[in-house]
């Protein structure tokens, strides 16, 4: 324990006519955390784990994740489609859930998007609705020529 300061224990506040801080004083004692949890950098954590496992760390695959699909301007497909509709003064895109298939814990979702009364549908089912909506917007942008079919960096 470490003594940080002193604190007045004589009632609430100062009664009228008494000097500020008058009353008995007792030390304010705090417990100070001395372990290193939360105070280590990533490199130090790796070194501690290596020390703990005697240098026999399990092999971790560190391959790079595929880049998210973006438009030619680098925007997210749903945001880019909404921005395009706004700039061209078209009505905002309408996303419709076309179908859900699969068992309840492994469903695939298929969305379509309607822009200027034309319907564009993602051709592959997605594991969640957000990704299915992204696929439908990307399909629309590909057909309009504003997005490539592969993410940047892929040939």
């Amino acid at each position: 324990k470490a003594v940080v300061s002193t604190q007045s224990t004589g009632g609430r506040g100062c009664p009228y006519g008494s000097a500020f801080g008058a009353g008995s004083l007792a030390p304010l004692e705090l417990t100070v955390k001395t372990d290193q949890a939360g105070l280590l950098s990533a490199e130090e954590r790796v070194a501690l784990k290596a020390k703990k496992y005697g240098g026999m760390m399990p092999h971790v695959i560190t391959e790079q994740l595929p880049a998210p699909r973006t438009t030619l301007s680098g925007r997210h497909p749903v945001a880019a489609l909404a921005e395009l509709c706004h700039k061209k003064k078209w009505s905002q895109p309408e996303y419709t859930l076309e179908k859900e298939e699969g068992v309840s814990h492994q469903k695939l979702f298929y969305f379509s998007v309607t822009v200027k009364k034309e319907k564009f549908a993602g051709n592959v089912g997605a594991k969640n609705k957000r990704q299915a909506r992204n696929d439908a917007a990307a399909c629309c942008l590909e057909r309009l020529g504003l997005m490539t079919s592969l993410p940047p960096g892929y040939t």
Side-chain angles (χ1 to χ4, degrees):
K1 292 184 178 184
V3 177
V4 175
S5 67
T6 56
Q7 174 185 10
S8 172
T9 58
R12 294 184 179 194
C14 289
Y16 181 75
S18 69
F20 177 74
S24 63
L25 296 176
L28 178 64
E29 296 180 290
L30 300 174
T31 346
V32 178
K33 185 176 176 182
T34 57
D35 65 345
Q36 294 184 352
L39 301 175
L40 298 175
S41 68
E43 293 84 17
E44 291 171 326
R45 278 194 214 108
V46 170
L48 283 177
K49 282 185 182 180
K51 183 178 177 183
K52 179 179 177 182
Y53 293 112
M56 297 296 294
M57 289 288 291
H59 181 67
V60 178
I61 299 171
T62 57
E63 71 181 40
Q64 190 175 7
L65 295 174
R69 294 176 69 175
T70 58
T71 62
L72 295 176
S73 63
R75 301 286 312 265
H76 191 272
V78 174
L81 185 59
E83 184 180 331
L84 174 73
C85 290
H86 181 74
K87 282 183 179 178
K88 301 268 186 175
K89 297 189 184 334
W90 300 339
S91 61
Q92 285 298 304
E94 294 179 21
Y95 295 92
T96 308
L97 178 62
E98 293 296 322
K99 68 178 179 177
E100 299 177 23
E101 63 181 26
V103 291
S104 62
H105 64 281
Q106 283 185 327
K107 285 191 175 185
L108 290 177
F109 299 95
Y110 296 85
F111 264 81
S112 67
V113 61
T114 305
V115 176
K116 283 186 63 177
K117 298 181 182 178
E118 191 172 344
K119 194 175 197 177
F120 302 94
N123 50 2
V124 180
K127 291 183 179 180
N128 57 50
K129 291 181 179 179
R130 178 179 291 164
Q131 185 61 45
R133 210 173 284 124
N134 291 348
D135 291 344
C139 176
C140 176
L141 290 170
E142 284 175 15
R143 300 261 304 279
L144 294 173
L146 299 172
M147 182 173 174
T148 61
S149 58
L150 293 174
Y154 288 82
T155 55

